[in-house]
Amino acid sequence: MLRSRATLLNTTLRLLAERGIAATTIEAIAEQSGVAKTTIYRQWDSQPALVLDAFGSILQTPSDPDTGSLHGDLMELLTGLARSLSTGPAAGLMFALIDAAERDPAFAALHRREADTRHSVIVAVIRRGIARGELPAGTDPAEVLDMLAGPLFHRRAISGAVVDVAYAESVVNRVLAAYGAAG
């Protein structure tokens, strides 16, 4: 069972990279992997569930760095995001999932759940920074998250410029400065 699971996840990731989400059907996965559809459906109840599981196999939920400072914590988290968006195995796949979420309610629900899991770490770091007085009381953690992640996603998806550690540091410093926090 474990071997067929690994085979199915790897086949799904390969097909996602080659064909996109819509064309990565259960039928295509079964054909390419040599694993019967009934075996696939015993492990996943739908194509979105299998696709999300495949994404989950390569995306690591960030851990709370707790470096002792908001700046240090955000640097750890944003440089990790920058690496994921530029060189990680999921770099292009994340945008495919976002696209699918716009078109399919099942993918939208799965994407929202996945995003909430990842965002909860950053929101906790921001709340800790507020509690320590590193950000003003009343700061909206979700807004800070948007201000941090938005430029990295924009740069990767729209402008095509390099998303690297230096850019991530620049974003962290600018966002913290906007809130009157030292970088």
Side-chain angles (χ1 to χ4, degrees), residues 7 42 92 113 120 127 154 162:
T7 298
R42 271 196 295 269
R113 190 170 58 236
S120 67
R127 285 188 176 128
H154 180 274
V162 174

Side-chain angles (χ1 to χ4, degrees), residues 115-132:
D116 288 347
T117 298
R118 294 178 190 295
H119 294 170
S120 67
V121 175
I122 297 174
V123 168
V125 162
I126 294 166
R127 285 188 176 128
R128 187 170 56 232
I130 294 167
R132 290 191 299 222

Side-chain angles (χ1 to χ4, degrees), residues 37-182:
K37 287 193 302 184
T38 55
T39 302
I40 295 171
Y41 281 113
R42 271 196 295 269
Q43 296 180 60
W44 297 277
D45 64 354
S46 65
Q47 183 248 17
L50 173 52
V51 168
L52 187 62
D53 202 10
F55 274 96
S57 74
I58 58 171
L59 293 175
Q60 300 296 320
T61 300
S63 59
D64 182 347
D66 202 2
T67 64
S69 75
L70 178 62
H71 182 269
D73 292 350
L74 293 177
M75 279 302 302
E76 289 288 321
L77 292 167
L78 250 62
T79 57
L81 176 59
R83 278 191 296 278
S84 293
L85 288 173
S86 59
T87 60
L93 297 176
M94 276 193 258
F95 293 100
L97 180 58
I98 292 167
D99 179 59
E102 289 292 317
R103 301 175 197 315
D104 183 323
F107 278 112
L110 292 169
H111 177 255
R112 180 78 269 136
R113 190 170 58 236
E114 181 71 14
D116 288 347
T117 298
R118 294 178 190 295
H119 294 170
S120 67
V121 175
I122 297 174
V123 168
V125 162
I126 294 166
R127 285 188 176 128
R128 187 170 56 232
I130 294 167
R132 290 191 299 222
E134 294 173 284
L135 288 173
T139 297
D140 179 357
E143 180 180 272
V144 176
L145 169 63
D146 290 345
M147 292 175 70
L148 290 164
L152 275 69
F153 276 91
H154 180 274
R155 188 169 252 224
R156 167 63 170 78
I158 307 300
S159 73
V162 174
V163 180
D164 58 9
V165 172
Y167 184 69
E169 183 172 15
S170 171
V171 169
V172 169
N173 289 338
R174 289 172 192 262
V175 169
L176 291 179
Y179 282 94

Side-chain angles (χ1 to χ4, degrees), residues 8-25 29 47 51 54-55 58 88-97 156:
L8 290 166
L9 293 174
N10 289 332
T11 300
T12 302
L13 289 169
R14 183 175 48 77
L15 289 175
L16 286 168
E18 291 172 5
R19 302 177 182 184
I21 289 178
T24 303
T25 62
I29 295 164
Q47 183 248 17
V51 168
F55 274 96
I58 58 171
L93 297 176
M94 276 193 258
F95 293 100
L97 180 58
R156 167 63 170 78

